[in-house]
Amino acid sequence: MKPISEPVSKTGDAARLPLLKGLILVTGLALAALSWYAFSHWLRGDADTTWYPPETGCDLHSAPCSATLGNHGHMTFAIDVEERIEALEILPLDVNIEGIEATAVTVNFVGRDMDMGLHRFALNATGGGHFHGQGQVSVCTQAVMPWRARVIVKTPEGRLGSWFDFDVIRS
């Protein structure tokens, strides 16, 4: 004679279903956040750039800043504003390249202390190693937002770049 098994209780399975759905949701959100982070770094596209430090004493609020690009040449970067650099204002960007042929210039604004998204601006060549365009930094909830302008110069020898730090005070 066969032993009679007791019916399986469905209450235990029903109690685990919301927990399982919650874990699936948390896992999906974590994968989405990780994918966004990896994709944003891939979009920045500066892994093949050779970086050179800026010259000391730079204050983009009041004057252009410069960097020597190794043995290749010299770069000057300016944000032409009357007073201070402000968030959400259209910023005239100027780059002058000396000593090397530049085929393209881009400026990326990057939050130094937090990820503020991708702010990439391609500048137009105006002749004689001069590039001009417009850019913009976004607003932040902090009273002072530290930004970095990363200027990338495309040359026949490869991509060269430098960075210039500045702060934007929330008004």
Side-chain angles (χ1 to χ4, degrees):
M1 182 160 159
K2 277 181 149 180
I4 301 175
S5 61
E6 294 187 26
V8 177
S9 169
K10 300 287 184 183
T11 58
D13 290 341
R16 282 184 260 178
L17 191 57
L19 177 63
L20 182 60
K21 286 182 178 180
L23 289 174
I24 291 171
L25 178 65
V26 168
T27 302
L29 290 174
L31 286 173
L34 206 99
S35 298
W36 172 82
Y37 181 78
F39 187 66
S40 70
H41 283 278
W42 176 75
L43 276 178
R44 293 186 202 277
D46 60 3
D48 62 343
T49 302
T50 304
W51 294 99
Y52 296 95
E55 294 175 2
T56 58
C58 171
D59 181 10
L60 281 172
H61 292 283
S62 60
C65 295
S66 298
T68 300
L69 303 174
N71 296 327
H72 304 286
H74 188 78
M75 169 186 6
T76 302
F77 174 62
I79 300 177
D80 294 326
V81 292
E82 295 287 325
E83 298 286 323
R84 296 198 50 83
I85 300 168
E86 298 286 337
L88 301 178
E89 295 291 324
I90 301 299
L91 304 172
L93 307 175
D94 284 300
V95 174
N96 283 306
I97 307 294
E98 298 172 359
I100 191 167
E101 178 188 346
T103 57
V105 173
T106 58
V107 176
N108 298 339
F109 289 126
V110 179
R112 290 194 325 252
D113 295 338
M114 71 174 68
D115 187 358
M116 295 295 289
L118 182 63
H119 303 277
R120 177 180 292 157
F121 305 96
L123 306 186
N124 298 316
T126 58
H130 183 256
F131 293 81
H132 180 76
Q134 294 180 332
Q136 185 180 45
V137 295
S138 63
V139 71
C140 182
T141 57
Q142 294 182 352
V144 176
M145 177 62 197
W147 286 94
R148 174 167 286 169
R150 298 188 322 180
V151 181
I152 300 172
V153 180
K154 186 176 178 184
T155 71
E157 291 83 23
R159 292 165 33 130
L160 310 173
S162 189
W163 63 91
F164 306 97
D165 294 340
F166 62 98
D167 295 330
V168 173
I169 299 170
R170 186 180 64 204
S171 51

